[in-house]
Amino acid sequence: MLVVRPARPADLPALERLAGTATPRLTNLPAHRDRLEERIARSQRAFEAEVEFPGDEHYTFVLEDLERGEAVGTATVRAQAGAREAYYTYRQETLIHASQQLDVRREVPTLSLSHEVSEASLLCAYSLDPRYRGTSAESLLRRARLMFIAQYPERFAEILAMAFPGYLDEAGQSPFWNSVGRHFFVRDYQEINYIAGVRSKSFIAEVMPQFPLYLALLTPQARAAIGREHPEHEAAMGEMLGEGFLRSRHVDIFDAGPVIKGERDRLQSFRRAAWHPVRIRPAHSLPDAEPALVANQRLDDFRCVVARYALSPTGQLMLSPEHAEQLGVEEGRAVLAAPLALPGDEHDPGYDEGEL
């Protein structure tokens, strides 16, 4: 029995473990006790605050296995990626080099420092216990954040973004970092990644070159890594593209991992979500139905589970007593439900900057 809920101080040891086992190690989830303790306290303040528009709030969730009595996953939403300091990325662009005299025209791909993603809400710091990978726990933890955002849209931006870990070689090194960042910081990728997690990434942008980087001057390995997610996150990328996110032209300034963006109201979990009053029935009497994400409507005691999308003839969502207890809802209370399964491969994996 799994439930997603806000993190609390007692989850600190679990967050330490999840930070240490994340693959690869995450900049935004450092295995640093003081930073994680601060993260939980900051999240609690965000859930308790009255918010009218997105700011510097961080909402940290955990996935709890109720039978084990432990948190086995965590994920965060930053209401505004660049609320405190600019959120830097590299933007993929093209410069035209032409000479009429020589009859030469070349389109040259470049990377330019950007902080356009700063205004977006950022889904980040996702880590799941390896025992639960390949199960519905992955989607529950990843998309429960969307169920929360759907209920409190005033707290978040209209554009949501996710930065995926980039490609690393067999030695755990980033070809992109070794070709770019290492020339300005005499530190390897893993070390700089940890430092940025404990501090911030702003110091990177202060030292990195402000002029466009010509991709032709990078190593072939570095060029191949641009916009390529870590193999461990390929399934997650596929799911979020199916959700309605699109690959943007932005990549991480450390490892060139892809940044995807989505207009909030166009995402499947928003478009297909519906409110239903609860009807409690014994589990054995519930009809067969496809699984769904089901969330209560309590801000500081948010809960989200996977349950059957079984509706009565009058539109009530039939829940077992166990699921009703997990959600903290009584009969007649309304819950938000969205199908767990996403539509088939109807998404366009290409770029669509448009209004993004």
PDB file of all heavy atoms in Angstrom, residues 166-198:
ATOM      1  N   GLY A 166      21.872  14.063 -17.420  1.00  0.00           N
ATOM      2  CA  GLY A 166      22.468  13.842 -18.729  1.00  0.00           C
ATOM      3  C   GLY A 166      23.266  12.559 -18.815  1.00  0.00           C
ATOM      4  O   GLY A 166      23.428  11.821 -17.838  1.00  0.00           O
ATOM      5  N   TYR A 167      23.793  12.326 -19.992  1.00  0.00           N
ATOM      6  CA  TYR A 167      24.549  11.111 -20.264  1.00  0.00           C
ATOM      7  C   TYR A 167      25.902  11.138 -19.547  1.00  0.00           C
ATOM      8  O   TYR A 167      26.601  12.149 -19.563  1.00  0.00           O
ATOM      9  CB  TYR A 167      24.776  10.957 -21.770  1.00  0.00           C
ATOM     10  CG  TYR A 167      25.701   9.823 -22.122  1.00  0.00           C
ATOM     11  CD1 TYR A 167      25.251   8.512 -22.110  1.00  0.00           C
ATOM     12  CD2 TYR A 167      27.041  10.073 -22.439  1.00  0.00           C
ATOM     13  CE1 TYR A 167      26.105   7.458 -22.411  1.00  0.00           C
ATOM     14  CE2 TYR A 167      27.902   9.031 -22.751  1.00  0.00           C
ATOM     15  CZ  TYR A 167      27.428   7.730 -22.732  1.00  0.00           C
ATOM     16  OH  TYR A 167      28.284   6.702 -23.028  1.00  0.00           O
ATOM     17  N   LEU A 168      26.249  10.009 -18.924  1.00  0.00           N
ATOM     18  CA  LEU A 168      27.557   9.828 -18.300  1.00  0.00           C
ATOM     19  C   LEU A 168      28.205   8.591 -18.909  1.00  0.00           C
ATOM     20  O   LEU A 168      27.518   7.641 -19.287  1.00  0.00           O
ATOM     21  CB  LEU A 168      27.429   9.644 -16.782  1.00  0.00           C
ATOM     22  CG  LEU A 168      26.720  10.754 -15.997  1.00  0.00           C
ATOM     23  CD1 LEU A 168      26.710  10.400 -14.502  1.00  0.00           C
ATOM     24  CD2 LEU A 168      27.383  12.101 -16.221  1.00  0.00           C
ATOM     25  N   ASP A 169      29.520   8.596 -18.985  1.00  0.00           N
ATOM     26  CA  ASP A 169      30.215   7.431 -19.542  1.00  0.00           C
ATOM     27  C   ASP A 169      30.334   6.326 -18.489  1.00  0.00           C
ATOM     28  O   ASP A 169      29.832   6.456 -17.371  1.00  0.00           O
ATOM     29  CB  ASP A 169      31.582   7.824 -20.114  1.00  0.00           C
ATOM     30  CG  ASP A 169      32.528   8.391 -19.056  1.00  0.00           C
ATOM     31  OD1 ASP A 169      32.329   8.108 -17.850  1.00  0.00           O
ATOM     32  OD2 ASP A 169      33.470   9.120 -19.429  1.00  0.00           O
ATOM     33  N   GLU A 170      31.013   5.238 -18.845  1.00  0.00           N
ATOM     34  CA  GLU A 170      31.115   4.100 -17.942  1.00  0.00           C
ATOM     35  C   GLU A 170      31.858   4.429 -16.655  1.00  0.00           C
ATOM     36  O   GLU A 170      31.685   3.757 -15.636  1.00  0.00           O
ATOM     37  CB  GLU A 170      31.810   2.934 -18.656  1.00  0.00           C
ATOM     38  CG  GLU A 170      31.000   2.374 -19.829  1.00  0.00           C
ATOM     39  CD  GLU A 170      31.711   1.232 -20.513  1.00  0.00           C
ATOM     40  OE1 GLU A 170      32.872   0.944 -20.131  1.00  0.00           O
ATOM     41  OE2 GLU A 170      31.115   0.624 -21.420  1.00  0.00           O
ATOM     42  N   ALA A 171      32.674   5.462 -16.690  1.00  0.00           N
ATOM     43  CA  ALA A 171      33.416   5.870 -15.490  1.00  0.00           C
ATOM     44  C   ALA A 171      32.631   6.872 -14.652  1.00  0.00           C
ATOM     45  O   ALA A 171      33.144   7.380 -13.651  1.00  0.00           O
ATOM     46  CB  ALA A 171      34.764   6.468 -15.894  1.00  0.00           C
ATOM     47  N   GLY A 172      31.390   7.160 -15.055  1.00  0.00           N
ATOM     48  CA  GLY A 172      30.581   8.113 -14.316  1.00  0.00           C
ATOM     49  C   GLY A 172      30.942   9.552 -14.583  1.00  0.00           C
ATOM     50  O   GLY A 172      30.567  10.449 -13.827  1.00  0.00           O
ATOM     51  N   GLN A 173      31.660   9.797 -15.670  1.00  0.00           N
ATOM     52  CA  GLN A 173      32.054  11.151 -16.035  1.00  0.00           C
ATOM     53  C   GLN A 173      31.163  11.693 -17.142  1.00  0.00           C
ATOM     54  O   GLN A 173      30.620  10.946 -17.956  1.00  0.00           O
ATOM     55  CB  GLN A 173      33.516  11.166 -16.492  1.00  0.00           C
ATOM     56  CG  GLN A 173      34.515  10.871 -15.393  1.00  0.00           C
ATOM     57  CD  GLN A 173      34.463  11.919 -14.283  1.00  0.00           C
ATOM     58  OE1 GLN A 173      34.498  13.124 -14.545  1.00  0.00           O
ATOM     59  NE2 GLN A 173      34.393  11.464 -13.043  1.00  0.00           N
ATOM     60  N   SER A 174      31.022  12.999 -17.162  1.00  0.00           N
ATOM     61  CA  SER A 174      30.224  13.667 -18.182  1.00  0.00           C
ATOM     62  C   SER A 174      31.110  14.121 -19.327  1.00  0.00           C
ATOM     63  O   SER A 174      31.974  14.991 -19.135  1.00  0.00           O
ATOM     64  CB  SER A 174      29.500  14.873 -17.580  1.00  0.00           C
ATOM     65  OG  SER A 174      28.987  15.705 -18.602  1.00  0.00           O
ATOM     66  N   PRO A 175      30.944  13.583 -20.535  1.00  0.00           N
ATOM     67  CA  PRO A 175      31.739  14.050 -21.676  1.00  0.00           C
ATOM     68  C   PRO A 175      31.559  15.540 -21.929  1.00  0.00           C
ATOM     69  O   PRO A 175      32.507  16.235 -22.315  1.00  0.00           O
ATOM     70  CB  PRO A 175      31.203  13.218 -22.851  1.00  0.00           C
ATOM     71  CG  PRO A 175      30.600  12.017 -22.218  1.00  0.00           C
ATOM     72  CD  PRO A 175      30.042  12.485 -20.903  1.00  0.00           C
ATOM     73  N   PHE A 176      30.343  16.039 -21.676  1.00  0.00           N
ATOM     74  CA  PHE A 176      30.088  17.462 -21.900  1.00  0.00           C
ATOM     75  C   PHE A 176      30.869  18.305 -20.894  1.00  0.00           C
ATOM     76  O   PHE A 176      31.525  19.285 -21.265  1.00  0.00           O
ATOM     77  CB  PHE A 176      28.597  17.759 -21.793  1.00  0.00           C
ATOM     78  CG  PHE A 176      28.254  19.196 -22.059  1.00  0.00           C
ATOM     79  CD1 PHE A 176      28.185  19.678 -23.354  1.00  0.00           C
ATOM     80  CD2 PHE A 176      28.017  20.071 -21.016  1.00  0.00           C
ATOM     81  CE1 PHE A 176      27.880  21.008 -23.605  1.00  0.00           C
ATOM     82  CE2 PHE A 176      27.706  21.402 -21.257  1.00  0.00           C
ATOM     83  CZ  PHE A 176      27.641  21.876 -22.558  1.00  0.00           C
ATOM     84  N   TRP A 177      30.813  17.926 -19.614  1.00  0.00           N
ATOM     85  CA  TRP A 177      31.542  18.687 -18.600  1.00  0.00           C
ATOM     86  C   TRP A 177      33.037  18.680 -18.887  1.00  0.00           C
ATOM     87  O   TRP A 177      33.708  19.699 -18.782  1.00  0.00           O
ATOM     88  CB  TRP A 177      31.263  18.131 -17.212  1.00  0.00           C
ATOM     89  CG  TRP A 177      32.104  18.786 -16.146  1.00  0.00           C
ATOM     90  CD1 TRP A 177      33.238  18.294 -15.571  1.00  0.00           C
ATOM     91  CD2 TRP A 177      31.891  20.080 -15.567  1.00  0.00           C
ATOM     92  NE1 TRP A 177      33.742  19.192 -14.656  1.00  0.00           N
ATOM     93  CE2 TRP A 177      32.929  20.303 -14.645  1.00  0.00           C
ATOM     94  CE3 TRP A 177      30.925  21.063 -15.743  1.00  0.00           C
ATOM     95  CZ2 TRP A 177      33.019  21.474 -13.893  1.00  0.00           C
ATOM     96  CZ3 TRP A 177      31.011  22.235 -14.995  1.00  0.00           C
ATOM     97  CH2 TRP A 177      32.049  22.425 -14.084  1.00  0.00           C
ATOM     98  N   ASN A 178      33.560  17.532 -19.260  1.00  0.00           N
ATOM     99  CA  ASN A 178      34.994  17.428 -19.523  1.00  0.00           C
ATOM    100  C   ASN A 178      35.420  18.259 -20.717  1.00  0.00           C
ATOM    101  O   ASN A 178      36.574  18.693 -20.787  1.00  0.00           O
ATOM    102  CB  ASN A 178      35.378  15.963 -19.743  1.00  0.00           C
ATOM    103  CG  ASN A 178      35.335  15.156 -18.452  1.00  0.00           C
ATOM    104  OD1 ASN A 178      35.390  15.724 -17.362  1.00  0.00           O
ATOM    105  ND2 ASN A 178      35.213  13.842 -18.580  1.00  0.00           N
ATOM    106  N   SER A 179      34.501  18.511 -21.641  1.00  0.00           N
ATOM    107  CA  SER A 179      34.824  19.296 -22.827  1.00  0.00           C
ATOM    108  C   SER A 179      34.588  20.784 -22.629  1.00  0.00           C
ATOM    109  O   SER A 179      35.160  21.605 -23.348  1.00  0.00           O
ATOM    110  CB  SER A 179      33.997  18.802 -24.017  1.00  0.00           C
ATOM    111  OG  SER A 179      34.370  19.444 -25.215  1.00  0.00           O
ATOM    112  N   VAL A 180      33.748  21.132 -21.644  1.00  0.00           N
ATOM    113  CA  VAL A 180      33.392  22.547 -21.448  1.00  0.00           C
ATOM    114  C   VAL A 180      33.773  23.025 -20.048  1.00  0.00           C
ATOM    115  O   VAL A 180      34.730  23.762 -19.849  1.00  0.00           O
ATOM    116  CB  VAL A 180      31.883  22.774 -21.698  1.00  0.00           C
ATOM    117  CG1 VAL A 180      31.520  24.243 -21.459  1.00  0.00           C
ATOM    118  CG2 VAL A 180      31.501  22.370 -23.123  1.00  0.00           C
ATOM    119  N   GLY A 181      33.003  22.591 -19.057  1.00  0.00           N
ATOM    120  CA  GLY A 181      33.144  23.144 -17.714  1.00  0.00           C
ATOM    121  C   GLY A 181      34.484  22.912 -17.069  1.00  0.00           C
ATOM    122  O   GLY A 181      34.974  23.768 -16.318  1.00  0.00           O
ATOM    123  N   ARG A 182      35.112  21.779 -17.349  1.00  0.00           N
ATOM    124  CA  ARG A 182      36.375  21.450 -16.678  1.00  0.00           C
ATOM    125  C   ARG A 182      37.489  22.428 -17.049  1.00  0.00           C
ATOM    126  O   ARG A 182      38.457  22.584 -16.311  1.00  0.00           O
ATOM    127  CB  ARG A 182      36.800  20.026 -17.013  1.00  0.00           C
ATOM    128  CG  ARG A 182      38.018  19.580 -16.250  1.00  0.00           C
ATOM    129  CD  ARG A 182      37.996  18.105 -15.986  1.00  0.00           C
ATOM    130  NE  ARG A 182      39.071  17.742 -15.074  1.00  0.00           N
ATOM    131  CZ  ARG A 182      39.158  16.589 -14.457  1.00  0.00           C
ATOM    132  NH1 ARG A 182      38.205  15.691 -14.627  1.00  0.00           N
ATOM    133  NH2 ARG A 182      40.152  16.312 -13.659  1.00  0.00           N
ATOM    134  N   HIS A 183      37.357  23.107 -18.181  1.00  0.00           N
ATOM    135  CA  HIS A 183      38.363  24.097 -18.570  1.00  0.00           C
ATOM    136  C   HIS A 183      38.320  25.335 -17.669  1.00  0.00           C
ATOM    137  O   HIS A 183      39.282  26.109 -17.616  1.00  0.00           O
ATOM    138  CB  HIS A 183      38.154  24.527 -20.019  1.00  0.00           C
ATOM    139  CG  HIS A 183      38.399  23.426 -21.005  1.00  0.00           C
ATOM    140  ND1 HIS A 183      39.644  22.860 -21.197  1.00  0.00           N
ATOM    141  CD2 HIS A 183      37.558  22.781 -21.841  1.00  0.00           C
ATOM    142  CE1 HIS A 183      39.562  21.913 -22.109  1.00  0.00           C
ATOM    143  NE2 HIS A 183      38.307  21.842 -22.522  1.00  0.00           N
ATOM    144  N   PHE A 184      37.200  25.509 -16.943  1.00  0.00           N
ATOM    145  CA  PHE A 184      37.044  26.696 -16.098  1.00  0.00           C
ATOM    146  C   PHE A 184      37.043  26.342 -14.617  1.00  0.00           C
ATOM    147  O   PHE A 184      37.223  27.213 -13.773  1.00  0.00           O
ATOM    148  CB  PHE A 184      35.739  27.422 -16.462  1.00  0.00           C
ATOM    149  CG  PHE A 184      35.693  27.839 -17.901  1.00  0.00           C
ATOM    150  CD1 PHE A 184      35.173  26.992 -18.869  1.00  0.00           C
ATOM    151  CD2 PHE A 184      36.204  29.065 -18.302  1.00  0.00           C
ATOM    152  CE1 PHE A 184      35.150  27.366 -20.202  1.00  0.00           C
ATOM    153  CE2 PHE A 184      36.184  29.438 -19.632  1.00  0.00           C
ATOM    154  CZ  PHE A 184      35.657  28.589 -20.591  1.00  0.00           C
ATOM    155  N   PHE A 185      36.832  25.059 -14.293  1.00  0.00           N
ATOM    156  CA  PHE A 185      36.885  24.577 -12.921  1.00  0.00           C
ATOM    157  C   PHE A 185      37.766  23.336 -12.906  1.00  0.00           C
ATOM    158  O   PHE A 185      37.481  22.365 -13.587  1.00  0.00           O
ATOM    159  CB  PHE A 185      35.487  24.200 -12.413  1.00  0.00           C
ATOM    160  CG  PHE A 185      34.543  25.350 -12.307  1.00  0.00           C
ATOM    161  CD1 PHE A 185      33.800  25.754 -13.408  1.00  0.00           C
ATOM    162  CD2 PHE A 185      34.385  26.034 -11.117  1.00  0.00           C
ATOM    163  CE1 PHE A 185      32.915  26.809 -13.326  1.00  0.00           C
ATOM    164  CE2 PHE A 185      33.506  27.093 -11.020  1.00  0.00           C
ATOM    165  CZ  PHE A 185      32.768  27.491 -12.129  1.00  0.00           C
ATOM    166  N   VAL A 186      38.820  23.369 -12.127  1.00  0.00           N
ATOM    167  CA  VAL A 186      39.726  22.214 -12.087  1.00  0.00           C
ATOM    168  C   VAL A 186      39.141  21.178 -11.126  1.00  0.00           C
ATOM    169  O   VAL A 186      39.728  20.852 -10.087  1.00  0.00           O
ATOM    170  CB  VAL A 186      41.144  22.651 -11.666  1.00  0.00           C
ATOM    171  CG1 VAL A 186      42.127  21.496 -11.821  1.00  0.00           C
ATOM    172  CG2 VAL A 186      41.599  23.846 -12.486  1.00  0.00           C
ATOM    173  N   ARG A 187      37.967  20.667 -11.473  1.00  0.00           N
ATOM    174  CA  ARG A 187      37.279  19.666 -10.667  1.00  0.00           C
ATOM    175  C   ARG A 187      36.556  18.718 -11.608  1.00  0.00           C
ATOM    176  O   ARG A 187      36.084  19.121 -12.669  1.00  0.00           O
ATOM    177  CB  ARG A 187      36.274  20.317  -9.714  1.00  0.00           C
ATOM    178  CG  ARG A 187      36.883  21.312  -8.721  1.00  0.00           C
ATOM    179  CD  ARG A 187      35.792  21.973  -7.887  1.00  0.00           C
ATOM    180  NE  ARG A 187      36.317  23.042  -7.056  1.00  0.00           N
ATOM    181  CZ  ARG A 187      36.791  22.881  -5.829  1.00  0.00           C
ATOM    182  NH1 ARG A 187      36.810  21.659  -5.309  1.00  0.00           N
ATOM    183  NH2 ARG A 187      37.233  23.888  -5.130  1.00  0.00           N
ATOM    184  N   ASP A 188      36.434  17.447 -11.197  1.00  0.00           N
ATOM    185  CA  ASP A 188      35.730  16.519 -12.064  1.00  0.00           C
ATOM    186  C   ASP A 188      34.223  16.678 -11.887  1.00  0.00           C
ATOM    187  O   ASP A 188      33.743  17.405 -11.010  1.00  0.00           O
ATOM    188  CB  ASP A 188      36.174  15.068 -11.830  1.00  0.00           C
ATOM    189  CG  ASP A 188      35.806  14.536 -10.446  1.00  0.00           C
ATOM    190  OD1 ASP A 188      34.888  15.087  -9.804  1.00  0.00           O
ATOM    191  OD2 ASP A 188      36.438  13.564 -10.010  1.00  0.00           O
ATOM    192  N   TYR A 189      33.479  15.979 -12.715  1.00  0.00           N
ATOM    193  CA  TYR A 189      32.031  16.168 -12.765  1.00  0.00           C
ATOM    194  C   TYR A 189      31.358  15.831 -11.438  1.00  0.00           C
ATOM    195  O   TYR A 189      30.509  16.589 -10.958  1.00  0.00           O
ATOM    196  CB  TYR A 189      31.435  15.316 -13.888  1.00  0.00           C
ATOM    197  CG  TYR A 189      29.921  15.302 -13.872  1.00  0.00           C
ATOM    198  CD1 TYR A 189      29.200  16.411 -14.295  1.00  0.00           C
ATOM    199  CD2 TYR A 189      29.226  14.194 -13.398  1.00  0.00           C
ATOM    200  CE1 TYR A 189      27.823  16.416 -14.256  1.00  0.00           C
ATOM    201  CE2 TYR A 189      27.844  14.188 -13.356  1.00  0.00           C
ATOM    202  CZ  TYR A 189      27.145  15.302 -13.790  1.00  0.00           C
ATOM    203  OH  TYR A 189      25.787  15.297 -13.743  1.00  0.00           O
ATOM    204  N   GLN A 190      31.691  14.686 -10.857  1.00  0.00           N
ATOM    205  CA  GLN A 190      31.026  14.272  -9.631  1.00  0.00           C
ATOM    206  C   GLN A 190      31.262  15.265  -8.496  1.00  0.00           C
ATOM    207  O   GLN A 190      30.361  15.563  -7.711  1.00  0.00           O
ATOM    208  CB  GLN A 190      31.510  12.868  -9.226  1.00  0.00           C
ATOM    209  CG  GLN A 190      31.164  11.772 -10.226  1.00  0.00           C
ATOM    210  CD  GLN A 190      29.673  11.550 -10.378  1.00  0.00           C
ATOM    211  OE1 GLN A 190      28.882  12.027  -9.577  1.00  0.00           O
ATOM    212  NE2 GLN A 190      29.279  10.808 -11.406  1.00  0.00           N
ATOM    213  N   GLU A 191      32.473  15.801  -8.425  1.00  0.00           N
ATOM    214  CA  GLU A 191      32.792  16.752  -7.359  1.00  0.00           C
ATOM    215  C   GLU A 191      32.031  18.054  -7.544  1.00  0.00           C
ATOM    216  O   GLU A 191      31.447  18.596  -6.597  1.00  0.00           O
ATOM    217  CB  GLU A 191      34.300  17.018  -7.333  1.00  0.00           C
ATOM    218  CG  GLU A 191      34.734  17.932  -6.183  1.00  0.00           C
ATOM    219  CD  GLU A 191      36.232  18.172  -6.156  1.00  0.00           C
ATOM    220  OE1 GLU A 191      36.926  17.687  -7.074  1.00  0.00           O
ATOM    221  OE2 GLU A 191      36.691  18.844  -5.220  1.00  0.00           O
ATOM    222  N   ILE A 192      32.018  18.580  -8.769  1.00  0.00           N
ATOM    223  CA  ILE A 192      31.334  19.851  -9.011  1.00  0.00           C
ATOM    224  C   ILE A 192      29.830  19.681  -8.868  1.00  0.00           C
ATOM    225  O   ILE A 192      29.124  20.595  -8.430  1.00  0.00           O
ATOM    226  CB  ILE A 192      31.706  20.419 -10.406  1.00  0.00           C
ATOM    227  CG1 ILE A 192      31.479  21.945 -10.428  1.00  0.00           C
ATOM    228  CG2 ILE A 192      30.950  19.749 -11.513  1.00  0.00           C
ATOM    229  CD1 ILE A 192      32.456  22.740  -9.615  1.00  0.00           C
ATOM    230  N   ASN A 193      29.331  18.499  -9.203  1.00  0.00           N
ATOM    231  CA  ASN A 193      27.904  18.217  -9.071  1.00  0.00           C
ATOM    232  C   ASN A 193      27.486  18.260  -7.604  1.00  0.00           C
ATOM    233  O   ASN A 193      26.437  18.810  -7.250  1.00  0.00           O
ATOM    234  CB  ASN A 193      27.594  16.846  -9.675  1.00  0.00           C
ATOM    235  CG  ASN A 193      26.119  16.629  -9.901  1.00  0.00           C
ATOM    236  OD1 ASN A 193      25.419  17.511 -10.373  1.00  0.00           O
ATOM    237  ND2 ASN A 193      25.643  15.450  -9.571  1.00  0.00           N
ATOM    238  N   TYR A 194      28.322  17.716  -6.730  1.00  0.00           N
ATOM    239  CA  TYR A 194      28.020  17.719  -5.297  1.00  0.00           C
ATOM    240  C   TYR A 194      28.108  19.138  -4.730  1.00  0.00           C
ATOM    241  O   TYR A 194      27.241  19.564  -3.961  1.00  0.00           O
ATOM    242  CB  TYR A 194      28.980  16.796  -4.557  1.00  0.00           C
ATOM    243  CG  TYR A 194      28.773  16.789  -3.056  1.00  0.00           C
ATOM    244  CD1 TYR A 194      27.722  16.077  -2.487  1.00  0.00           C
ATOM    245  CD2 TYR A 194      29.608  17.528  -2.215  1.00  0.00           C
ATOM    246  CE1 TYR A 194      27.517  16.066  -1.115  1.00  0.00           C
ATOM    247  CE2 TYR A 194      29.403  17.531  -0.845  1.00  0.00           C
ATOM    248  CZ  TYR A 194      28.364  16.803  -0.301  1.00  0.00           C
ATOM    249  OH  TYR A 194      28.151  16.816   1.059  1.00  0.00           O
ATOM    250  N   ILE A 195      29.137  19.869  -5.120  1.00  0.00           N
ATOM    251  CA  ILE A 195      29.303  21.245  -4.625  1.00  0.00           C
ATOM    252  C   ILE A 195      28.103  22.100  -5.013  1.00  0.00           C
ATOM    253  O   ILE A 195      27.579  22.878  -4.208  1.00  0.00           O
ATOM    254  CB  ILE A 195      30.603  21.865  -5.168  1.00  0.00           C
ATOM    255  CG1 ILE A 195      31.817  21.148  -4.570  1.00  0.00           C
ATOM    256  CG2 ILE A 195      30.658  23.356  -4.865  1.00  0.00           C
ATOM    257  CD1 ILE A 195      33.143  21.582  -5.165  1.00  0.00           C
ATOM    258  N   ALA A 196      27.643  21.952  -6.246  1.00  0.00           N
ATOM    259  CA  ALA A 196      26.499  22.736  -6.703  1.00  0.00           C
ATOM    260  C   ALA A 196      25.235  22.358  -5.944  1.00  0.00           C
ATOM    261  O   ALA A 196      24.375  23.206  -5.689  1.00  0.00           O
ATOM    262  CB  ALA A 196      26.289  22.526  -8.199  1.00  0.00           C
ATOM    263  N   GLY A 197      25.112  21.084  -5.541  1.00  0.00           N
ATOM    264  CA  GLY A 197      23.947  20.664  -4.786  1.00  0.00           C
ATOM    265  C   GLY A 197      23.935  21.225  -3.383  1.00  0.00           C
ATOM    266  O   GLY A 197      22.883  21.610  -2.865  1.00  0.00           O
ATOM    267  N   VAL A 198      25.102  21.294  -2.767  1.00  0.00           N
ATOM    268  CA  VAL A 198      25.190  21.813  -1.408  1.00  0.00           C
ATOM    269  C   VAL A 198      25.082  23.337  -1.405  1.00  0.00           C
ATOM    270  O   VAL A 198      24.528  23.930  -0.481  1.00  0.00           O
ATOM    271  CB  VAL A 198      26.514  21.364  -0.750  1.00  0.00           C
ATOM    272  CG1 VAL A 198      26.702  22.013   0.606  1.00  0.00           C
ATOM    273  CG2 VAL A 198      26.521  19.846  -0.616  1.00  0.00           C
TER     274      VAL A 198
END
